[in-house]
Amino acid sequence: MASGAHLITFDKVWKSYGQGEAQIHALAGVDLAIKRGEFVAIMGPSGSGKSTALNIIGCLDTPTAGTYSFMGIDAGRLDRNRRAMLRNLYVGFVFQGYNLLARTTAAENVELPLIYRGVAARERRDLAMQALAQVGLVGREHHTPAELSGGQQQRVAIARAIVTRPTLLVADEPTGNLDTARTHEIMELLTKLNKELGLTITMVTHEADVAEYAKRTIRFVDGRVASDTAKLEVAQP
Amino acid sequence: MIWETVRLSLRSIRRNVLRSFLTLLGIVIGVAAVIAMLTIGSGTTEKVKADISKLGSNLLVVRSGRPAGPGGPGGLDQVVRPLAEKDLAALVAHLTGARVISPASQKQVRVIFGTESLTSGVTGTDSAYLDARDWKLVSGRPFSDSETRSGTGVCLIGETVRQQFFGSGDPEGEIIRVNRTSCKIVGLLEPKGYTGFGQDQDNVVLMPLHAYQRRIAGNRDIDSIYIAADDRTPTSELQPRVEDILRDARRITPDRESDFAIRDMTQIADAMASATATMTGMLGAVAGVSLLVGGIGIMNIMLVSVTERTREIGIRLAIGAHEKHILIQFLVEATVLSLLGGIIGILIGLAFAGLASVTLTIPFAPNPAVILLAVGFSALIGMVFGFFPALRGARLDPIDALRHE
């Protein structure tokens, strides 16, 4: 029942690197549950395991021990290609460094996940235009990343993440490269997507004012969840 | 999906024009070399075949001396007995299945007209010789039978002789000196050009056999007898008949080997052609090695490309590309690259072969099968040598790939 109610559950998840004495535990028995529609900020010092946790949540990585379940699927035990399929169908990614393809237009960047889904060219274009409109980039479809500002590039990346209408958005320091004004614009956009589309967002950040936009903050220390606080003043729908 | 990937790879090739071009160069040179070699080679084969057929088709040539083989013609154990008038007479009397039988003797002799002189191949023969050798006259007439019989001082000249003495003028009726005798030109032979071995077939003077024997050779010997088979008789059937008749005429007992050789020009043509083809194949194989080197070049550049685009691969994997998508992307890129090289190589190779055919005066004989093979082979090289780098890209861990700077 728990997996039905929760989009994401960690059950005693361990992630270890190395052997014997030199073994390092990035995650040391993490239990965690995130429901659909949540907007979760993951914080913690570097080396605390927050990025590892985010990679597992995004089905990029798998636990060494314990169970990671995504949409009720034991995603931690799927092979590469099945996880790729999960990512393509249900997960959108936003990175600190935008990670757009250089010398490729905004529209083509946004279309990319649809290509791997086998969507026809015309439909791809339409969906890409819609996504770009949702992030407020109408008229910039044919600009390449080099011709766009940092904030605009991150909007293109968000459009690429949501063009497949994913269930989950995974954001790794999405505002890490942006100035304060741009940071707030991007965070407001994410908040809007969370509210309007019901998009579940998990976001790693180390800035407290960015984390403020989330409804829940999970703090990692030494591979364990140190605190997990929900923002009480925001009423859950 | 595939079309999408081809477009993608074309774009990535365009983005790195210089690098792509340098990568292509290996394949271009390899394919160009193979195409040029094979095209020039098949042109040479055709040329050799044509040259031999210029000697006359369905032709047997009898010469004195033992057949080629251990000991070679005219072995040490016996003095070469030349062919004689009676051998020819025996063939004319008994041989069936022959269209033409013609004797010939020849010698390199100094020919003089006015103050000009030239060393020419002078042949003593009869008027049937032209028929046997498939040789026509541009102007004038062949020797008459009476001229042949009586050995009158008349002659036919080749194009080279005319050029030397008369330029483009009409040589008919002029008197030239051949050795110490003089003869009147009655006709001009059609030009035959050079043989594949660089021999000028037009530097010739033909005169009646008796005139040649009396005035130039000083003996009654016949060097060779040309026998052209009629249309129903293959030369392979004619050859044993000729041998029987000549052994009989020359009184050779069954325990002894023939002291003459019969050459079948058709066989020689085939042998020559197959020798040239073998040569062509070997040259092609050598050129093929450079294709291999080109392939390694492709592999090298694809490895660089995969490393350079690790981050791109990471992004693609993160947003849901499967291993096979990445594999196909780089495989297609390598294939498109080498295919492009192949096509450029074919064009350059053909251009080179065309140039060679003009300068070497051989026919330009591009072989569609070879060209198709070159296209297929260059695509194959791209696939084979692109596979390892592509696999390396496809196997990248998306997390590591995304972290790659």
Side-chain angles (χ1 to χ4, degrees):
Chain A
M1 204 51 226
S3 58
H6 293 111
L7 181 64
I8 288 162
T9 47
F10 276 50
D11 185 13
K12 296 184 193 63
V13 167
W14 289 75
K15 182 71 185 181
S16 315
Y17 299 100
Q19 296 282 316
E21 290 289 305
Q23 198 167 40
I24 295 162
H25 301 292
L27 295 178
V30 173
D31 289 309
L32 193 66
I34 296 171
K35 289 202 278 285
R36 275 178 197 270
E38 281 198 75
F39 187 167
V40 180
I42 299 172
M43 301 189 73
S46 46
S48 62
K50 60 182 194 299
S51 289
T52 308
L54 194 73
N55 285 338
I56 292 176
I57 289 172
C59 300
L60 282 169
D61 211 348
T62 54
T64 317
T67 306
Y68 168 57
S69 126
F70 176 69
M71 299 178 75
I73 300 162
D74 191 352
R77 281 178 186 76
L78 296 179
D79 66 21
R80 273 171 64 103
N81 284 333
R82 285 183 188 281
R83 278 186 283 120
M85 210 182 292
L86 269 189
R87 290 196 295 272
N88 187 246
L89 290 173
Y90 304 114
V91 188
F93 287 90
V94 176
F95 306 94
Q96 177 176 0
Y98 323 130
N99 277 345
L100 299 175
L101 297 190
R103 286 165 289 198
T104 306
T105 66
E108 284 169 327
N109 264 294
V110 174
E111 280 181 41
L112 207 55
L114 298 174
I115 291 178
Y116 294 120
R117 229 183 230 205
V119 176
R122 173 165 300 188
E123 197 186 343
R124 274 204 319 259
R125 181 113 318 198
D126 291 346
L127 289 171
M129 290 306 164
Q130 279 175 33
L132 282 167
Q134 277 177 304
V135 299
L137 274 183
V138 174
R140 308 268 167 176
E141 298 88 358
H142 302 297
H143 288 56
T144 61
E147 297 162 350
L148 295 169
S149 71
Q152 287 170 330
Q153 288 186 56
Q154 195 60 300
R155 282 168 189 274
V156 174
I158 292 170
R160 182 181 65 193
I162 64 169
V163 75
T164 58
R165 310 231 165 90
T167 312
L168 173 70
L169 184 81
V170 170
D172 190 359
E173 306 254 17
T175 59
N177 288 5
L178 300 175
D179 61 29
T180 317
R182 244 38 74 198
T183 294
H184 289 295
E185 279 175 26
I186 291 296
M187 288 319 298
E188 252 139 45
L189 176 60
L190 289 181
T191 307
K192 188 188 91 174
L193 294 172
N194 173 244
K195 272 194 187 131
E196 290 177 6
L197 304 178
L199 185 64
T200 313
I201 300 177
T202 55
M203 166 186 75
V204 159
T205 182
H206 60 265
E207 291 165 81
D209 56 337
V210 169
E212 273 298 299
Y213 283 90
K215 297 174 201 161
R216 177 182 170 191
T217 303
I218 301 170
R219 199 171 289 276
F220 276 77
V221 175
D222 293 336
R224 289 190 171 83
V225 176
S227 71
D228 187 345
T229 50
K231 227 198 265 179
L232 291 174
E233 60 266 38
V234 180
Q236 299 265 338
Chain B
M1 184 70 213
I2 281 288
W3 176 235
E4 206 67 51
T5 319
V6 171
R7 250 189 51 205
L8 193 78
S9 62
L10 279 175
R11 197 156 68 197
S12 127
I13 288 165
R14 245 199 336 262
R15 263 181 217 157
N16 293 295
V17 178
L18 182 64
R19 200 177 71 188
S20 300
F21 172 74
L22 290 175
T23 311
L24 286 182
L25 215 54
I27 297 287
V28 169
I29 291 171
V31 171
V34 170
I35 292 286
M37 286 299 165
L38 295 188
T39 309
I40 293 171
S42 62
T44 311
T45 308
E46 276 184 24
K47 165 87 167 161
V48 168
K49 277 187 181 162
D51 281 349
I52 291 171
S53 77
K54 269 183 209 158
L55 295 174
S57 48
N58 294 326
L59 195 63
L60 294 178
V61 182
V62 185
R63 289 181 209 278
S64 56
R66 283 205 307 188
L76 290 172
D77 55 328
Q78 63 188 104
V79 175
V80 178
R81 189 154 55 114
L83 296 167
E85 207 78 51
K86 67 174 170 52
D87 299 326
L88 179 67
L91 286 172
V92 171
H94 303 298
L95 186 63
T96 55
R99 183 168 55 84
V100 179
I101 301 172
S102 171
S105 289
Q106 54 207 133
K107 204 175 182 181
Q108 291 292 314
V109 168
R110 177 158 290 264
V111 182
I112 300 164
F113 177 78
T115 54
E116 299 281 328
S117 83
L118 177 69
T119 302
S120 255
V122 176
T123 301
T125 185
D126 60 16
S127 49
Y129 181 78
L130 295 178
D131 195 1
R133 298 269 329 252
D134 223 353
W135 213 343
K136 290 180 183 56
L137 291 177
V138 175
S139 63
R141 58 167 181 88
F143 322 130
S144 66
D145 285 348
S146 69
E147 282 167 342
T148 306
R149 265 196 304 278
S150 63
T152 315
V154 290
C155 59
L156 303 172
I157 61 168
E159 180 60 26
T160 305
V161 179
R162 175 176 84 138
Q163 298 248 326
Q164 175 74 20
F165 294 150
F166 311 105
S168 55
D170 179 12
E172 246 176 279
E174 300 285 353
I175 309 279
I176 54 172
R177 286 195 71 78
V178 178
N179 220 5
R180 282 181 301 276
T181 184
S182 61
C183 70
K184 190 172 94 176
I185 298 169
V186 295
L188 177 65
L189 292 160
E190 168 193 77
K192 282 200 165 201
Y194 285 79
T195 63
F197 316 104
Q199 195 190 349
D200 182 1
Q201 300 179 91
D202 298 321
N203 185 11
V204 291
V205 175
L206 304 187
M207 52 172 40
L209 179 65
H210 288 167
Y212 172 88
Q213 286 173 333
R214 251 200 325 271
R215 305 180 193 197
I216 291 163
N219 57 38
R220 313 258 316 153
D221 298 346
I222 294 170
D223 290 348
S224 37
I225 299 172
Y226 289 80
I227 303 163
D230 65 26
D231 290 342
R232 284 154 311 175
T233 316
T235 48
S236 55
E237 227 170 84
L238 201 58
Q239 186 166 353
R241 291 186 207 159
V242 171
E243 179 143 26
D244 287 347
I245 293 167
L246 284 179
R247 283 179 71 95
D248 200 37
R250 290 163 77 78
R251 305 220 158 73
I252 299 169
T253 50
D255 58 306
R256 284 173 55 213
E257 283 185 59
S258 301
D259 60 354
F260 55 91
I262 305 167
R263 289 209 188 107
D264 184 338
M265 297 319 277
T266 316
Q267 269 175 24
I268 292 175
D270 289 349
M272 295 292 304
S274 90
T276 342
T278 309
M279 197 68 181
T280 303
M282 274 167 62
L283 287 173
V286 170
V289 171
S290 60
L291 262 182
L292 199 73
V293 177
I296 292 166
I298 293 246
M299 176 143 79
N300 187 13
I301 220 68
M302 289 310 295
L303 278 173
V304 170
S305 179
V306 164
T307 309
E308 235 181 39
R309 287 152 68 190
T310 298
R311 213 182 164 79
E312 177 191 323
I313 294 169
I315 298 167
R316 290 176 183 277
L317 287 171
I319 63 173
H322 290 196
E323 272 180 38
K324 70 161 192 254
H325 292 135
I326 305 294
L327 190 73
I328 289 169
Q329 180 188 337
F330 283 95
L331 219 48
V332 166
E333 193 170 317
T335 307
V336 167
L337 204 60
S338 64
L339 204 57
L340 215 63
I343 290 166
I344 297 173
I346 287 166
L347 294 180
I348 292 178
L350 286 180
F352 194 76
L355 206 72
S357 79
V358 170
T359 51
L360 302 175
T361 61
I362 55 170
F364 178 59
N367 185 342
V370 166
I371 291 169
L372 224 66
L373 204 72
V375 170
F377 196 66
S378 52
L380 189 73
I381 278 182
M383 269 184 246
V384 168
F385 288 94
F387 187 77
F388 171 64
L391 194 67
R392 217 162 105 155
R395 290 273 165 85
L396 282 174
D397 179 33
I399 300 168
D400 291 340
L402 280 168
R403 231 178 260 142
H404 187 92
E405 288 306 320

